[in-house]
Amino acid sequence: MNSNKIMRQFALVLLVGAATQVVAAPASAANLQTLERMLEAQGQSQLQVQRQLDQMSADIDNIRGKVERNSYDIKQMKERQRQLYNDVDKLSRQPVKAVPTAKEATKAPVEAYSKNMSENDAYQNAVNLILKKKDYQGAIQAFETFLTTYPNSVYKPNASYWLGQLHFSQNDLVKAAKNFEVVVSIKDSSKRADALLKLGVIAERNNDTVKAMSYYTEVEKEYPNSTSAKHAQSALVNLSKH
């Protein structure tokens, strides 16, 4: 390291200076002891500097490791979120199946939900019911419980959107619309454009053409470069033909 080189040069200067003094004066035990003490002090100083540099290097490596771990965790979280979007979107595009009766629903196995979970764990539990276990009825209950327990959560827009998608896939358009409206009310939600589009689809299924066109137009106006806007434009073209 540069610091080691500087320290060695400094030690050499001291050594030369001390040697000059010894040559200029008669050699004596006192002179030799002085020179030894100077060299020992120089060695201790250099050792201390080296230890400080080693500690700084270790601290930098530790910080770098934490940054790399955080980057990996963020990447994994984004990948899970992307997969979740795809799975729920595919689910919403499947043919509508008959909605189970209340009696049948109570017979279906439901994933246990702990109210002692932290906010993050509770949200992840609901997500896993969709991604890993394909337990959509259990996911509905988990997301509803989550929103009741954490009404002001940062995950509220996403949780409401997934509830809307899940209810939409079961053809429960009233509950689906209710949850999509929650997402639309949150202006900075990344799923707001998709929620507006889904509200347009629901209005269209309810034969409310005017309302459907209003939602589609809003998507085009507020999110002109989005994928949702392209779908909204196609829907408007189809409606104008009728």
Side-chain angles (χ1 to χ4, degrees):
M1 294 184 179
N2 291 334
S3 59
N4 290 340
K5 183 177 180 181
I6 293 173
M7 297 304 295
R8 286 197 296 271
Q9 290 176 346
F10 182 64
L12 181 59
V13 171
L14 291 177
L15 180 60
V16 171
T20 302
Q21 292 177 3
V22 172
V23 172
S28 66
N31 288 338
L32 292 176
Q33 290 177 356
T34 299
L35 181 59
E36 288 175 354
R37 285 196 298 271
M38 291 172 61
L39 292 176
E40 183 179 356
Q42 179 62 32
Q44 290 294 331
S45 177
Q46 185 175 354
L47 180 60
Q48 183 178 2
V49 171
Q50 183 61 50
R51 287 174 178 171
Q52 291 175 346
L53 291 174
D54 290 343
Q55 183 60 46
M56 289 174 62
S57 178
D59 291 343
I60 291 173
D61 288 341
N62 185 39
I63 293 173
R64 184 182 294 112
K66 289 181 179 179
V67 170
E68 290 175 352
R69 285 195 298 273
N70 289 339
S71 298
Y72 176 78
D73 290 343
I74 292 173
K75 182 179 179 181
Q76 290 294 98
M77 182 180 68
K78 288 182 177 179
E79 178 60 25
R80 288 196 300 269
Q81 193 81 326
R82 184 192 64 78
Q83 186 178 355
L84 179 59
Y85 286 157
N86 291 338
D87 281 5
V88 177
D89 189 58
K90 289 178 182 177
L91 176 65
S92 68
R93 296 175 188 275
Q94 292 177 357
V96 177
K97 298 180 181 179
V99 180
T101 64
K103 184 177 181 180
E104 291 172 337
T106 57
K107 294 181 180 179
V110 178
E111 182 74 10
Y113 186 89
S114 172
K115 292 184 178 180
N116 294 323
M117 290 181 177
S118 69
E119 181 178 344
N120 288 336
D121 289 340
Y123 178 76
Q124 191 61 50
N125 175 69
V127 169
N128 288 339
L129 289 174
I130 298 175
L131 282 182
K132 297 182 178 180
K133 300 187 178 181
K134 311 300 180 184
D135 181 4
Y136 304 124
Q137 189 61 38
I140 289 175
Q141 295 186 21
F143 276 125
E144 287 177 345
T145 303
F146 174 83
L147 289 172
T148 300
T149 307
Y150 305 101
N152 299 316
S153 171
V154 294
Y155 299 121
K156 180 178 180 179
N158 282 359
S160 297
Y161 180 79
W162 301 137
L163 272 175
Q165 287 280 54
L166 290 166
H167 285 305
F168 184 84
S169 70
Q170 294 185 352
N171 203 33
D172 191 341
L173 301 184
V174 174
K175 289 184 178 179
K178 180 180 178 181
N179 282 282
F180 287 135
E181 286 168 357
V182 171
V183 180
V184 170
S185 69
I186 304 173
K187 300 296 184 180
D188 60 349
S189 170
S190 62
K191 301 303 295 178
R192 188 171 184 272
D194 292 335
L196 281 169
L197 181 66
K198 279 298 192 300
L199 286 172
V201 173
I202 291 172
E204 193 173 348
R205 287 193 180 185
N206 289 330
N207 297 317
D208 191 340
T209 303
V210 174
K211 194 172 184 179
M213 294 183 72
S214 175
Y215 281 125
Y216 293 146
T217 301
E218 188 173 356
V219 175
E220 272 196 311
K221 180 180 178 181
E222 295 192 26
Y223 306 94
N225 299 319
S226 66
T227 302
S228 297
K230 294 179 181 178
H231 291 308
Q233 185 177 19
S234 297
L236 283 170
V237 171
N238 291 332
L239 286 175
S240 64
K241 294 179 181 179
H242 298 298

